[in-house]
Amino acid sequence: MTQARDQRFYEAYGVPDTVLGRFDLIVLHLSLLLRRLRAGDGSARALAQALFDAFCRDMDHNLREMGISDQGVPRQMRRVGEAFYGRAQVYDAALARPGNDALVETLTRNVYAETAEGGAAARALATYVRQAVDELDAQVLENLLRGVARFPQPAALAAAE
């Protein structure tokens, strides 16, 4: 959550500073971390499930704070779950392809859907995502299990584009 809330994503990468833009960055970072944990052992997979469960509880709480009624929350949570799984699947598929074209297209469609942005901003974010995957993959699983996950600094990458 902390990484996804970094203001540099909104300033340097042009991610919309809206509820949907913030949601998309949370989903992006969570899906990258869960991707790494799913490649681990049973403890890592259990942590991945616990993190997803915490994400769902947080989304439920946020929906209620936004004024969604008790009757409306389950419907909205289904939409949150569908959005998460849909995005996670397309991110995984794009990351499995060589180069960044598929990833740029996926980020443009999801993260930059609210804006005319995309292009250079999506390319810079794709570079960040690839570096985040590499950095997460290089981290010792035991550190991740203790809750220590490092992501690259977004501003440095955006400046390099």
Side-chain angles (χ1 to χ4, degrees):
M1 291 284 198
T2 301
Q3 185 73 5
R5 291 181 176 151
D6 189 317
Q7 273 305 115
R8 294 174 285 188
F9 286 110
Y10 309 101
E11 295 164 359
Y13 288 87
V15 173
D17 193 2
T18 61
V19 171
L20 186 56
R22 290 187 295 275
F23 173 79
D24 276 313
L25 279 183
I26 291 168
V27 167
L28 175 62
H29 284 89
L30 181 59
S31 68
L32 295 177
L33 182 56
L34 295 182
R35 179 181 179 275
R36 170 63 172 100
L37 290 170
R38 284 192 318 262
D41 60 12
S43 297
R45 289 189 297 279
L47 177 58
Q49 184 61 55
L51 285 171
F52 180 75
D53 292 346
F55 164 75
C56 289
R57 283 189 304 274
D58 187 59
M59 288 295 114
D60 181 283
H61 175 75
N62 285 322
L63 288 170
R64 292 174 192 280
E65 280 198 351
M66 291 169 53
I68 305 295
S69 70
D70 287 343
Q71 294 172 331
V73 168
R75 182 172 28 90
Q76 292 299 322
M77 284 302 297
R78 269 192 303 282
R79 291 177 65 195
V80 166
E82 290 168 1
F84 176 84
Y85 282 116
R87 284 165 172 79
Q89 286 178 340
V90 295
Y91 291 142
D92 283 348
L95 287 165
R97 298 189 56 187
N100 279 350
D101 290 345
L103 186 55
V104 168
E105 180 181 319
T106 300
L107 291 168
T108 299
R109 190 174 54 251
N110 291 305
V111 176
Y112 297 101
E114 294 181 292
T115 69
E117 285 288 336
R123 280 191 295 283
L125 188 56
T127 299
Y128 165 84
V129 168
R130 289 278 185 193
Q131 188 171 353
V133 166
D134 291 345
E135 194 160 320
L136 286 168
D137 287 350
Q139 290 174 50
V140 177
L141 189 57
E142 288 75 28
N143 289 343
L144 294 172
L145 292 173
R146 288 194 325 263
V148 179
R150 290 182 324 275
F151 286 92
Q153 294 299 312
L157 288 174
E161 287 297 312

